């Protein structure tokens, strides 16, 4: 079992090599320049690597990019093996990153919260206190005898 530092270092190397190879080495039109490698994780035994990616485009482009990555898996693994120089090159698994969908969901929730805050601000703009503005007793409220004025 490798230590976490070695796994992290190998994951970073895999991310860089795969991104570089996708940008310059693979001529598959399905991949193009709209595929971005976001993260890479390697198992503790350094046998398997999961590469997370995002695709700029619609669902059809995402599906074609997934097929392109699957077909280029062998070439990418060979490039990683040459760059890593390890005894065993990890197998690569490509997973579409859910980051863009999660970010869109968060943005939608923030927009709802802003609209709700604006509505509350609008309703409360002409509101008055239910009682006095300051319901607490103060020393100036006492009269000369030391009792409170009521």
């Amino acid at each position: 079992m490798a230590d976490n530092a070695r796994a992290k270092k190998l994951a970073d190397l895999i991310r860089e090599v795969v991104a570089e190879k996708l940008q310059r080495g693979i001529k598959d039109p399905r991949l193009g320049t709209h595929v971005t490698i976001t993260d890479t994780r390697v198992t503790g035994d350094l046998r398997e690597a999961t590469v997370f990616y995002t695709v700029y485009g619609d669902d059809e482009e995402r599906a074609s990019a997934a097929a392109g990555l699957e077909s280029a898996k062998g070439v990418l693994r060979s490039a990683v093996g040459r760059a890593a120089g390890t005894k065993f090159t990890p197998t690569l698994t490509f997973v579409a990153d859910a980051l863009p969908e999660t970010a869109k969901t968060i943005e939608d929730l923030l927009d709802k919260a802003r609209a709700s805050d604006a509505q509350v601000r609008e309703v409360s703009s002409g509101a008055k206190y239910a009682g006095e503005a300051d319901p607490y007793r103060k020393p100036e409220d006492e009269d000369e005898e030391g009792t409170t004025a009521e």
Side-chain angles (χ1 to χ4, degrees), residues 116-128:
S116 175
D117 287 349
Q119 184 182 11
V120 168
R121 197 175 310 114
E122 183 180 313
V123 169
S124 67
S125 65
K128 297 180 183 175

Side-chain angles (χ1 to χ4, degrees), residues 1 4 11 13 17 34 53 61 69 73-74 78 106 110 143:
M1 182 111 176
N4 287 338
L13 177 72
V17 168
H34 55 275
Y53 68 95
E61 289 175 344
L69 285 171
K73 188 184 286 190
S78 297
I106 290 173
L110 287 173
D143 59 8

Side-chain angles (χ1 to χ4, degrees), residues 83-139:
T86 57
K87 183 176 181 180
F88 182 82
T89 303
T91 58
L92 301 178
T93 305
F94 292 96
V95 176
D97 200 354
L99 185 69
E101 291 83 18
T102 304
K104 182 169 178 13
T105 303
I106 290 173
E107 283 297 320
D108 291 344
L109 291 173
L110 287 173
D111 288 342
K112 279 184 182 179
R114 284 186 200 103
S116 175
D117 287 349
Q119 184 182 11
V120 168
R121 197 175 310 114
E122 183 180 313
V123 169
S124 67
S125 65
K128 297 180 183 175
Y129 290 106
E132 298 175 20
D134 189 8
Y136 301 103
R137 294 183 183 177
K138 296 187 173 67

Side-chain angles (χ1 to χ4, degrees), residues 13 25 45 48 52 81 89 144:
L13 177 72
D45 61 357
E48 298 176 14
F52 295 92
T89 303
E144 298 85 32

Side-chain angles (χ1 to χ4, degrees), residues 5-6 15-16 21 42 50 59 80 87 95 97 126:
R6 187 169 178 200
R15 185 179 69 242
E16 291 173 15
K21 193 72 171 167
V42 178
T50 305
D59 290 335
V80 167
K87 183 176 181 180
V95 176
D97 200 354

Side-chain angles (χ1 to χ4, degrees), residues 43-64:
T43 58
D45 61 357
L46 306 179
R47 295 279 183 170
E48 298 176 14
T50 305
V51 180
F52 295 92
Y53 68 95
T54 58
V55 178
Y56 182 71
D58 58 0
D59 290 335
E60 183 179 319
E61 289 175 344
R62 288 185 191 118
S64 67

